Amino acid sequence: MKSMKGHSDIIDDEGNLFGVINIIDALVVVLALTVLIAGIGLVLMDDGESSSAPTTETTNVTIDLGTQPEYIVSQMSIGDSYSPSGNSDLTVTDIYLAPQGESARVMVRAELSAPYSGETIQYSGSPPRYGRQLELLTETYSAAGTIRDVGGGADLTTTETEVVVRANLSETDARRLSAGQPIRVQGREVATIESVTTYGTDNPDTKTVFLGLTLQSVAYGEQQAFGEAMVRPGASLSLPTEDGLIKGEITRVGATTQRGQPATRDVKLQLSNVSPLLANSISPGMTESFGGETVARVSAVQRQNATIVTRGQDGEIYERTHPINQDVTFTANLSVRETDTGVTFKDQTLQQGRVVTLDLGTVTIKATVISGYR
């Protein structure tokens, strides 16, 4: 009976808890508190999860896709996109083409979108570092390349860069070149020929051509690149034309003409100890000309028997007149360029004793400079 009395102290005969609250109402209050606490816990958990979720950021990269065939290049366009994983996206924002041999070298500018962590984005699991390989897979093509630049704007930094390129071409190919002629890669203009200067060589079938060009080059830091070549003197350059590939060497950067100011000089030249046939083949009025431009014009010509030096039976040295061969001295008006370091002809400095080559149409000669070069 004592146990029953203790129980009645907690719940009375009318079912009230401690004689104050009905037991049913108390259970309802407890259930409501339980639901409220559980709800607060869920809210706090959601807040914790959302605050720890990484944010998504973007950055721009330049990707060198190397040489690509025409059927790949024709499918590429700004806006192409690829998602290597659920939280990483790549979108092409700019495309650059340049020649490399007979193929096209392709650079693309792309925006990368990925979770931000560790002071950089984590594109497909790792940061977009210089030298990293990235893939570009679309419904119509696939390509892969190397990151060459990170950060900056959505467009590639391209510049019109002026250069002079020297190339040895056949006479037929040289005649096909003209100022204003565009250079195209996969139908896109990447350079323009601004000037053409052509000189004869030792071989009458070969011409040395100096091309003044404006290149659409792309910037890598402080350097400019055109295809696989860094734009600097001595670099090799390939230029596709409708009639074939021109392979040359950059001789000057920052201009489309050779060094110095154009001028003319009357230079005295000599051929020594040549056959009468060659001596008589040179006459006043002969010219080296190409495409309407005259490089050299012969004026006065003098001939005399050549002087030779022989050793007699007594061991002495004697100067004799050659019975057949001749020395030819002539004056030629040369198209030269005046530079800070001297006068040049065919991009070579004129000095006493320098041998110059003249293609006079019917004969090609190598003559030694005597005077008139200053």
Side-chain angles (χ1 to χ4, degrees), residues 348-364:
Q348 292 185 332
T349 301
L350 279 179
Q351 296 177 325
Q352 186 171 0
R354 166 80 74 175
V355 176
V356 298
T357 300
L358 299 179
D359 181 355
L360 300 177
T362 58
V363 62
T364 298

Side-chain angles (χ1 to χ4, degrees), residues 206-282:
T206 301
K207 303 297 180 182
T208 295
V209 181
F210 287 86
L211 296 174
L213 298 160
T214 299
L215 308 177
Q216 296 296 327
S217 61
V218 64
Y220 290 141
E222 297 181 355
Q223 292 186 314
Q224 297 292 321
F226 185 71
E228 63 181 335
M230 302 308 294
V231 181
R232 56 174 175 253
S236 298
L237 210 61
S238 296
L239 300 169
T241 70
E242 294 180 356
D243 301 303
L245 187 67
I246 296 175
K247 294 183 178 181
E249 178 184 298
I250 297 176
T251 62
R252 193 181 186 197
V253 177
T256 58
T257 58
Q258 298 172 72
R259 295 177 300 114
Q261 297 298 317
T264 60
R265 285 284 192 282
D266 285 327
V267 179
K268 184 170 287 188
L269 304 166
Q270 187 177 66
L271 296 174
S272 299
N273 195 28
V274 297
S275 68
L277 180 63
L278 178 57
N280 291 324
S281 67
I282 305 169

Side-chain angles (χ1 to χ4, degrees), residues 259-320:
R259 295 177 300 114
Q261 297 298 317
T264 60
R265 285 284 192 282
D266 285 327
V267 179
K268 184 170 287 188
L269 304 166
Q270 187 177 66
L271 296 174
S272 299
N273 195 28
V274 297
S275 68
L277 180 63
L278 178 57
N280 291 324
S281 67
I282 305 169
S283 59
M286 298 181 74
T287 63
E288 177 177 324
S289 302
F290 194 89
E293 298 292 329
T294 298
V295 175
R297 182 182 298 275
V298 177
S299 55
V301 179
Q302 295 179 339
R303 303 177 186 86
Q304 61 183 21
N305 284 4
T307 299
I308 58 175
V309 177
T310 61
R311 183 185 296 273
Q313 292 182 352
D314 56 3
E316 295 293 327
I317 303 298
Y318 297 95
E319 188 177 86
R320 307 291 190 195

Side-chain angles (χ1 to χ4, degrees), residues 44-260:
L44 292 175
M45 185 181 296
D46 290 342
D47 288 344
E49 289 178 355
S50 62
S51 62
S52 63
T55 59
T56 298
E57 299 287 348
T58 61
T59 191
N60 294 304
V61 296
T62 298
I63 307 172
D64 184 352
L65 297 177
T67 56
Q68 297 292 333
E70 182 177 0
Y71 66 86
I72 293 290
V73 177
S74 64
Q75 298 298 316
M76 291 182 172
S77 61
I78 294 174
D80 290 347
S81 62
Y82 170 55
S83 297
S85 59
N87 57 4
S88 296
D89 296 289
L90 180 155
T91 303
V92 175
T93 59
D94 201 3
I95 300 173
Y96 169 82
L97 299 181
Q100 182 172 331
E102 297 181 352
S103 302
R105 192 179 190 92
V106 183
M107 306 276 184
V108 297
R109 191 71 169 161
E111 181 186 80
L112 304 183
S113 176
Y116 186 85
S117 175
E119 300 184 354
T120 185
I121 69 170
Q122 300 293 316
Y123 177 80
S124 191
S126 60
R129 302 183 181 94
Y130 285 82
R132 180 182 170 185
Q133 295 288 308
L134 293 185
E135 288 185 320
L136 178 55
L137 307 179
T138 72
E139 294 181 354
T140 57
Y141 68 89
S142 67
T146 304
I147 295 178
R148 298 289 296 270
D149 193 21
V150 180
D155 297 330
L156 283 158
T157 304
T158 58
T159 304
E160 290 189 348
T161 305
E162 295 181 336
V163 298
V164 177
V165 173
R166 174 177 177 157
N168 290 325
L169 305 175
S170 69
E171 181 172 351
T172 300
D173 289 342
R175 291 190 182 280
R176 289 171 175 164
L177 301 175
S178 60
Q181 182 176 338
I183 303 296
R184 294 187 174 91
V185 175
Q186 308 293 1
R188 305 186 191 191
E189 186 170 330
V190 298
T192 303
I193 297 176
E194 306 292 352
S195 64
V196 182
T197 305
T198 306
Y199 299 127
T201 67
D202 297 345
N203 185 344
D205 296 325
T206 301
K207 303 297 180 182
T208 295
V209 181
F210 287 86
L211 296 174
L213 298 160
T214 299
L215 308 177
Q216 296 296 327
S217 61
V218 64
Y220 290 141
E222 297 181 355
Q223 292 186 314
Q224 297 292 321
F226 185 71
E228 63 181 335
M230 302 308 294
V231 181
R232 56 174 175 253
S236 298
L237 210 61
S238 296
L239 300 169
T241 70
E242 294 180 356
D243 301 303
L245 187 67
I246 296 175
K247 294 183 178 181
E249 178 184 298
I250 297 176
T251 62
R252 193 181 186 197
V253 177
T256 58
T257 58
Q258 298 172 72
R259 295 177 300 114

